[in-house]
Amino acid sequence: VAMAVKLGQARKMAGSDPASIEPLLAQLRDDVQETLTQLRELAHGIYPPLLRDHGLAEALRNAATRSTLPTTVEVGTDRRFGAEAEAAVYFCCLEAMQNAGKHAGEGARVAVRIAEQDGVLVFEVSDDGSGFDPSTVRKSHGFVNMRDRLGAFGGSLSVGSSPGRGATVRGSLPASFVAQQAGDA
């Protein structure tokens, strides 16, 4: 809307005061660049191209470089899974990493592990931060979102923590869903 208003001003100024249009056009250019950046970030949040093109390992390693805490990523499989399975695990790991960044405290470290165990796709995001009492955050939006995301495919999520001992978020997608997804991939 703001850009449309500025374009209207530029159009009026072009006829009456052409010299003053240059700063307005520079503002519009900056506005367009900012809008493109925001659209890219939105699209990345919907389904990151790196996840689509290269899988969980690359996408999570890239996300770790943007984490507010030092984060390591270990992926124990080279196998690609279906888009829905990879997206579910990726976004759960991302949510857990963001939670750690907000709540684990300064100096904490995060470790992300992905593996396939007997056909089950499993992940773990742990930190060595300040921890919390899980009974006080069981219904937080982040954990509810992760449970819902995995639960839609028959998966599960568990959260372990205690004050002063860090936190661990574990999730899994069942072999039947992973196998179905692999056949679709």
Side-chain angles (χ1 to χ4, degrees), residues 87-152:
V89 170
Y90 173 82
F91 285 111
C92 286
C93 288
L94 199 60
E95 179 79 30
M97 289 165 56
Q98 290 169 346
N99 285 346
K102 290 178 198 171
H103 305 292
E106 195 172 314
R109 302 180 71 76
V110 178
V112 179
R113 293 175 194 84
I114 307 292
E116 183 180 6
Q117 299 170 349
D118 299 322
V120 177
L121 181 56
V122 296
F123 69 88
E124 178 180 284
V125 179
S126 59
D127 68 70
D128 59 1
S130 58
F132 57 89
D133 177 358
S135 67
T136 64
V137 296
R138 189 166 282 309
K139 296 193 184 218
S140 76
H141 291 295
F143 292 133
V144 169
N145 290 342
M146 287 188 271
R147 281 190 179 94
D148 287 349
R149 186 179 294 276
L150 296 172

Side-chain angles (χ1 to χ4, degrees), residues 26-76:
Q27 283 181 343
L28 278 166
R29 182 181 182 283
D30 291 344
D31 291 349
V32 167
Q33 292 291 33
E34 176 63 24
T35 301
L36 287 173
T37 298
Q38 290 176 5
L39 283 172
R40 283 187 191 107
E41 288 174 2
L42 175 64
H44 181 83
I46 293 170
Y47 196 88
L50 198 56
L51 178 60
R52 180 192 65 229
D53 296 340
H54 299 285
L56 281 168
E58 283 298 312
L60 287 170
R61 286 185 184 111
N62 183 268
T65 66
R66 297 186 312 272
S67 178
T68 58
L69 296 174
T71 302
T72 59
V73 176
E74 292 177 29
V75 178

Side-chain angles (χ1 to χ4, degrees), residues 6-22 24-25:
K6 286 180 183 178
L7 281 171
Q9 288 175 335
R11 185 172 187 217
K12 288 178 185 175
M13 292 168 69
S16 64
D17 188 10
S20 64
I21 199 170
E22 193 63 37
L24 186 57
L25 290 175

